[in-house]
Structures are given as C-alpha cells and as structure tokens.
Amino acid sequence: MTVAPHPPKREIFDVPAMTNTDNKGFVRPVERYEVTDHGLYMSRPADHPRFFHLESWLLPDLGLRANIFHFTAGHHDGQRLYLDVGRFGWPDGDGRWHAEDWYLDLVDVPGLSLELIDVDELFEAHSAGLLDTAQCEEAVAIATRALVGAAEHGHDVQGWLDDAAGGPVFFRDHRAS
C-alpha cells in the first residue's frame, strides 16, 4: 500500500511574537531568535519524544534550514546537523519568516559523508502535483551544492556553510548537546 505524499511542510517563524508555527499549525514558544547577515537563528524547547530542544538556522540564500536536535537519552544517533532543502524566505513586512520544505534532507554525521535522504518523497510529491518541475530542479541543485561543497571541505559541513554564506553561519555559543 502506497501512502499518499504530504504537501510541502510550511512553517512560520514569528520573530515579534517569539513563536514558531509548525507545519501542523501548532504554535510553539521560542526562547531566542536572532537575525543575522545570513538569515535567522531560532532556539526553542520541543515536546517531541526523541528530542527536547531544537535549534534552527534559516539560510535563505542557500535554500537550506540547518537544524540541531538535542536528543533525549537513548535517541542520539550521532547526527550533528539535519539540513532541510527548500524555500526559506527573508522576513515579510510584519517580521515573520516563512519556510517551505521541499522534501529532500541532508544528514551530517561527523566523520562521514553528508547523506542525502527522502529522494523518493520528492519524486512522489512531483508526481502528485505538489511541487512543479522547476521547484524539484531547484531542490536537487540545492542538495547537490551542499553535497559537493561539504565534500570539497573534507566533509566539514559547517566549514562549507560558512564559506558558501560568506562568513560564519552558526553561533559559536549554541546550546551544548
């Protein structure tokens, strides 16, 4: 039995209200937002069974959202960064940032090559008319840039992101895992 593909995940990062509305419409309080030269940083608690805190960096010019999940005991799998591919826009006139996840994801485990996952979801979404061909091509181009860039930086994803953005992307004082 094939499961019908879900629509692209859309989120709102409301900086003035200090909230994050997830793709299911749940409004979650945010502990910290910071607008940077490269995008938006968010840190918030999470009520997920696998992780208790989430840090995200929206990087509009790179078409990426970089996430650090702070896992609960027994759920850490060695992953450092989880990169979503999509459209992550600069703020609207009301200070809200909008995100649209285009299915492809990249998983960064230190010491290993960056791993591309969920390619099947991208194809299924295209077949179902949820993304057009131009969006799918852009998603593949974004993922390819990240894969090649990380490989060229000795699989140092943060090093590649810093170079690709033209300066440091991550806060060096982010929460400890």
Side-chain angles (χ1 to χ4, degrees):
M1 181 170 121
T2 303
V3 176
H6 61 80
K9 293 178 182 175
R10 292 179 177 91
E11 288 188 56
I12 299 170
F13 300 80
D14 192 331
V15 176
M18 293 296 290
T19 61
N20 169 221
T21 305
D22 72 14
N23 62 301
K24 294 177 180 146
F26 293 108
V27 179
R28 304 186 187 285
V30 171
E31 288 180 354
R32 179 177 169 193
Y33 272 128
E34 188 152 342
V35 177
T36 73
D37 292 340
H38 312 295
L40 179 69
Y41 169 77
M42 176 194 74
S43 177
R44 70 166 175 81
D47 57 357
H48 193 278
R50 293 186 60 216
F51 59 93
F52 62 91
H53 199 88
L54 171 65
E55 291 182 276
S56 290
W57 291 261
L58 302 184
L59 305 168
D61 293 344
L62 299 178
L64 295 170
R65 173 184 177 179
N67 303 286
I68 294 178
F69 297 97
H70 297 272
F71 291 100
T72 56
H75 288 288
H76 192 271
D77 58 3
Q79 164 186 308
R80 183 174 108 74
L81 292 175
Y82 191 92
L83 303 168
D84 296 306
V85 171
R87 182 176 295 137
F88 306 99
W90 293 95
D92 62 21
D94 294 321
R96 290 184 301 254
W97 295 60
H98 299 269
E100 184 175 84
D101 184 323
W102 287 346
Y103 304 94
L104 295 180
D105 298 302
L106 299 150
V107 180
D108 173 37
V109 175
L112 300 176
S113 300
L114 195 57
E115 179 185 6
L116 175 64
I117 62 173
D118 298 334
V119 174
D120 57 330
E121 288 186 24
L122 178 71
F123 288 141
E124 290 166 4
H126 183 263
S127 293
L130 298 170
L131 286 184
D132 63 28
T133 300
Q135 290 169 309
C136 291
E137 289 173 352
E138 187 176 349
V140 169
I142 291 165
T144 301
R145 268 194 313 274
L147 289 163
V148 170
E152 289 175 343
H153 281 77
H155 307 294
D156 176 5
V157 176
Q158 183 168 340
W160 169 72
L161 286 169
D162 290 347
D163 282 353
V169 170
F170 298 110
F171 291 96
R172 301 298 176 193
D173 66 339
H174 66 78
R175 294 175 56 101
S177 293

